[in-house]
Amino acid sequence: MTRYTSEEALQLVLDSDEEFTFSSEEEEDSDNERLYFEERLDPGVDISDENDVGCSLSPLTATHTKRARSNTDRNQKDYKGDGDHQTPVAKRAKTNIQTSNKQSTLSWKTETDIDMVPQTLRFLPAREPGPQLSPADAHTPLSLFKMFFSENAVSTLCHNTNAQAAGAIAKGRKYKWTDISISEMYRYIGLLFYMAMVKMSSISDYWRQDSLFSLPFPATIMSRDRYRTISWNVHMSHPDADMDNDRKRGTPEHDRLFRVKPLMDTIRHVCKAIYHPKINLAVDERMVACKAHTGMTQYMKAKPTRWGFKLFVLADSSNGYTLDFSVYTGKNNFPSGHGLSHDAVTSLLDCKVLGSGYHVYMDNFYTSPKLLKDLFAMKFGACGTYRDNRKDCPRDATNSLSKKSARGSIRWIRDGPLVFVKWMDTREVSVCSTIQSAYTGDTAQRRVKTQDAWRTKTFPCPAPVIAYNKHMGGVDLSDQLLQYYTAQHKTMKWYRKIFLHFLDIAATNAFLIHKELCGNMTHKQFMEQLIAELCGVSQKVAPKQTSSDHVPVPGAELGSDAKNICTVGRKICVLCKGQLDFREPKGKEAVVYPDVRQISENPKEERQ
């Protein structure tokens, strides 16, 4: 398949974004209408209530229509609904009874029952998987990093930073400022990565000169005050445009991410342009630590970083490459009526850029029968854990697992392309898939305590569970690589946290591409060379000689009476003679020691 240059690949992505807004709206609307009427799904309701098991409202009913009343109220002539679409209560209650009867007729099957082989989606990527760069060309860490932070992007960053600094000085800020250039901005980014590798307790410690732990390198790149003024004023959007956007606060036209949008769009386009993923993808959340009161920060108690900005991330499961991401702003950015989890996944999967036949893995926040069927219609296979209270998930079927079920027990139900699988490990595991069959003879090993001893036992395991455990960790692997040498540190502005995260994404993705093309550097070596190239210095520095490097060699063999012969035949060190002034004082005898000459007023007393 054809390899593209970085410019051609980037233009391909930009063109596809212009063409693909769900390409033809008429075709997409008609497909959605057909799915809703055939499956009798309500796109507005994602989770059903305990008293409304498996209910499926009519598609003509509005998103916020109330549930059907009980059997005693069926004969009432009330109507519940929003807008012009109103459905009689009796009719909706009848639909609920039919759906409940359908759920009750389902029965969980075991591993001994044979499942049908699901329809295999042919893997047809839009481009050859892997880096979209020629392996014959020389690719240095700096050249790969500049594909994400190109000179045009850094030039815009410098222009906005200079405008922000000029506005701050006009408001009375008391510091010196000279316009920052592109080369100086690259050196500033190099210092950020240097601080990511060499950790100190505060920024000022990098410029300390009176301590045993002083670092000489940062002062050779720029002064401490210059670094601070750049950090205070770094800006990704123009300040005048920020003011215009702030005036729209409280209206639908207001964009909460306006201050990071210019650079964010550039990073997203390049991530997709210069690398094409392999068949397995993962969707998950990522947290960028921040406690700023912006209305966008989230709290997730199950994450290592509990407070911060939540990003929905699409990553390659094979290596952790960040393909695409979107920042959650505290409201649904894609109000299609399908729910946040549905829209977060579909917005990250671009058919024009990716192709078809990909396998997408997700956790129980996203998985729903509606989403998996829509992805299957888009020719994407999907697999993920699911919550039992999700709409259209089987719950009241007979022969289900119980708390007393033996470890390794399997139950499954097939519903068209969907297969719902339950597996008893230390607790019940629920997985839904459109890729694998329920059980293909796979096994899993677990440590089990028997007769006061731990032993390894083998248990049957469903194929979707095996695949989920193998490929779901793409975003977790990406987070792990980001955290090794992250540029994150405390800041005064929330958008600077996002800016530092963009640097982390660019450096990590550049390393993964370099590893695919060359594979001759570790992550640490890559970052060290990138810092040296950004700062314009040589990575290898000549060692500084000290007095301990040239200890004189004894000129006579040592005996039992060492104090009398230890200085016999000794000569003055040539290096010490050149650096220090060694002259024999008149009337005084010079006493020679192994490292240095010391002058004694009374050499006889000194020898005693």
Side-chain angles (χ1 to χ4, degrees):
M1 300 181 74
T2 308
R3 293 278 186 179
Y4 298 94
T5 64
S6 59
E7 292 80 3
E8 293 173 343
L10 181 58
Q11 187 61 40
L12 178 63
V13 175
L14 294 174
D15 294 341
S16 68
D17 285 348
E18 293 176 359
E19 295 173 1
F20 186 66
T21 61
F22 251 83
S23 293
S24 67
E25 296 181 358
E26 293 80 12
E27 291 180 7
E28 200 62 40
D29 289 342
S30 63
D31 288 341
N32 287 340
E33 250 182 29
R34 176 178 55 79
L35 284 173
Y36 298 155
F37 278 87
E38 288 180 357
E39 301 296 333
R40 310 300 291 174
L41 298 178
D42 181 6
V45 180
D46 191 28
I47 299 178
S48 58
D49 192 9
E50 292 294 335
N51 298 324
D52 189 25
V53 177
C55 82
S56 178
L57 301 182
S58 169
L60 296 178
T61 308
T63 301
H64 301 290
T65 304
K66 295 183 179 179
R67 297 185 177 91
R69 295 185 178 180
S70 61
N71 297 339
T72 57
D73 296 332
R74 289 181 193 171
N75 296 328
Q76 296 182 9
K77 297 181 179 180
D78 297 338
Y79 289 82
K80 299 290 184 181
D82 294 336
D84 297 331
H85 301 292
Q86 296 181 342
T87 307
V89 174
K91 185 176 181 179
R92 286 185 280 117
K94 182 178 179 181
T95 304
N96 294 339
I97 294 173
Q98 293 174 351
T99 308
S100 299
N101 292 336
K102 180 182 177 181
Q103 290 282 346
S104 61
T105 58
L106 296 176
S107 177
W108 290 100
K109 299 180 181 180
T110 65
E111 62 270 20
T112 58
D113 298 317
I114 300 176
D115 184 21
M116 61 173 283
V117 178
Q119 178 184 350
T120 303
L121 297 174
R122 187 179 177 187
F123 182 49
L124 296 173
R127 298 173 292 174
E128 182 180 355
Q132 303 301 302
L133 305 171
S134 175
D137 298 338
H139 300 289
T140 63
L142 181 60
S143 65
L144 294 175
F145 179 79
K146 282 188 174 182
M147 291 183 178
F148 298 90
F149 278 79
S150 63
E151 292 192 357
N152 291 334
V154 174
S155 176
T156 303
L157 186 63
C158 292
H159 175 71
N160 295 331
T161 301
N162 292 330
Q164 174 69 14
I169 293 175
K171 293 178 181 179
R173 293 295 179 90
K174 303 295 183 181
Y175 52 75
K176 295 180 181 179
W177 176 264
T178 55
D179 285 351
I180 185 172
S181 62
I182 295 177
S183 60
E184 189 177 14
M185 181 61 78
Y186 278 126
R187 292 198 300 272
Y188 171 76
I189 294 174
L191 269 183
L192 290 175
F193 286 138
Y194 176 82
M195 295 175 183
M197 296 195 68
V198 183
K199 296 292 185 181
M200 301 291 283
S201 59
S202 66
I203 296 296
S204 60
D205 288 343
Y206 290 96
W207 280 269
R208 289 179 61 186
Q209 300 297 328
D210 57 347
S211 171
L212 176 65
F213 306 100
S214 299
L215 299 174
F217 176 71
T220 63
I221 304 303
M222 65 177 59
S223 66
R224 180 197 63 187
D225 292 343
R226 180 60 174 172
Y227 173 85
R228 282 179 168 175
T229 52
I230 295 175
S231 298
W232 293 337
N233 295 285
V234 65
H235 226 68
M236 289 166 278
S237 59
H238 199 278
D240 295 339
D242 291 341
M243 295 176 63
D244 294 339
N245 181 66
D246 291 341
R247 295 190 190 99
K248 302 175 184 177
R249 195 182 302 274
T251 64
E253 291 79 16
H254 178 255
D255 187 358
R256 292 187 173 188
L257 297 174
F258 187 83
R259 283 174 168 79
V260 302
K261 265 291 178 61
L263 186 58
M264 183 176 71
D265 292 342
T266 301
I267 297 295
R268 291 182 61 190
H269 285 309
V270 177
C271 286
K272 293 181 286 187
I274 67 176
Y275 180 84
H276 202 76
K278 300 177 178 62
I279 188 171
N280 296 306
L281 307 175
V283 177
D284 204 351
E285 302 96 11
R286 174 187 294 164
M287 296 294 288
V288 178
C290 183
K291 290 187 178 180
H293 299 283
T294 63
M296 295 184 291
T297 53
Q298 303 292 312
Y299 176 78
M300 299 184 68
K301 64 179 181 180
K303 293 287 184 180
T305 302
R306 296 185 179 183
W307 286 97
F309 295 103
K310 182 167 71 173
L311 278 68
F312 297 113
V313 180
L314 177 68
D316 190 333
S317 297
S318 63
N319 54 14
Y321 183 93
T322 300
L323 289 164
D324 200 3
F325 60 91
S326 61
V327 182
Y328 180 58
T329 60
K331 60 181 180 180
N332 194 347
N333 297 334
F334 315 96
S336 62
H338 299 158
L340 173 63
S341 58
H342 182 286
D343 296 334
V345 175
T346 54
S347 66
L348 294 173
L349 298 174
D350 192 337
C351 298
K352 285 285 185 178
V353 175
L354 293 175
S356 62
Y358 279 91
H359 297 170
V360 185
Y361 293 85
M362 62 199 77
D363 61 20
N364 59 18
F365 175 75
Y366 306 95
T367 307
S368 66
K370 166 66 178 172
L371 173 61
L372 267 62
K373 288 182 179 180
D374 288 351
L375 292 180
F376 192 78
M378 296 166 58
K379 297 184 179 180
F380 283 100
C383 176
T385 56
Y386 70 90
R387 301 173 184 175
D388 288 335
N389 61 350
R390 277 286 167 92
K391 179 184 174 183
D392 292 337
C393 291
R395 288 183 294 170
D396 287 349
T398 59
N399 194 31
S400 60
L401 290 177
S402 65
K403 294 182 179 180
K404 296 182 179 180
S405 297
R407 191 170 187 177
S409 300
I410 298 175
R411 299 291 187 273
W412 61 271
I413 291 178
R414 176 162 292 279
D415 182 13
L418 300 178
V419 60
F420 299 90
V421 178
K422 287 183 177 292
W423 181 55
M424 181 59 71
D425 196 12
T426 54
R427 60 179 182 177
E428 186 179 287
V429 179
S430 303
V431 180
C432 183
S433 175
T434 59
I435 306 171
Q436 301 89 5
S437 299
Y439 180 64
T440 57
D442 298 313
T443 59
Q445 292 185 341
R446 295 291 186 268
R447 296 277 292 174
V448 179
K449 190 174 183 180
T450 58
Q451 297 179 353
D452 300 330
W454 288 92
R455 296 181 181 179
T456 301
K457 292 187 65 175
T458 301
F459 298 96
C461 187
V465 175
I466 295 288
Y468 177 85
N469 290 335
K470 184 177 180 180
H471 302 298
M472 181 54 202
V475 178
D476 294 335
L477 175 59
S478 178
D479 293 344
Q480 183 180 6
L481 293 172
L482 289 175
Q483 290 301 319
Y484 282 144
Y485 306 108
T486 178
Q488 291 288 347
H489 56 264
K490 290 183 179 180
T491 63
M492 296 297 293
K493 300 294 184 181
W494 67 266
Y495 50 83
R496 191 159 179 261
K497 281 285 189 180
I498 304 294
F499 169 71
L500 296 176
H501 186 65
F502 293 161
L503 291 177
D504 291 338
I505 291 176
T508 303
N509 281 359
F511 162 69
L512 293 173
I513 293 176
H514 188 275
K515 185 177 179 181
E516 292 268 350
L517 294 173
C518 305
N520 56 354
M521 279 189 185
T522 63
H523 197 177
K524 181 180 179 181
Q525 292 172 342
F526 179 89
M527 292 300 298
E528 289 174 348
Q529 184 171 338
L530 175 61
I531 292 168
E533 292 176 348
L534 284 170
C535 296
V537 297
S538 175
Q539 189 175 349
K540 295 183 179 180
V541 180
K544 183 179 179 181
Q545 287 186 333
T546 62
S547 60
S548 62
D549 296 333
H550 54 277
V551 178
V553 179
E557 295 182 0
L558 297 178
S560 59
D561 192 8
K563 67 178 182 180
N564 294 328
I565 65 172
C566 63
T567 59
V568 176
R570 299 294 296 274
K571 296 181 179 180
I572 299 174
C573 176
V574 177
L575 183 61
C576 291
K577 186 177 180 181
Q579 293 179 349
L580 304 175
D581 187 14
F582 282 105
R583 290 177 295 180
E584 295 290 343
K586 294 180 179 180
K588 297 179 181 178
E589 183 179 351
V591 180
V592 182
Y593 289 90
D595 290 317
V596 66
R597 285 187 167 188
Q598 295 183 357
I599 308 302
S600 174
E601 294 292 339
N602 193 343
K604 294 182 179 180
E605 294 179 359
E606 186 71 25
R607 290 174 183 172
Q608 292 177 357

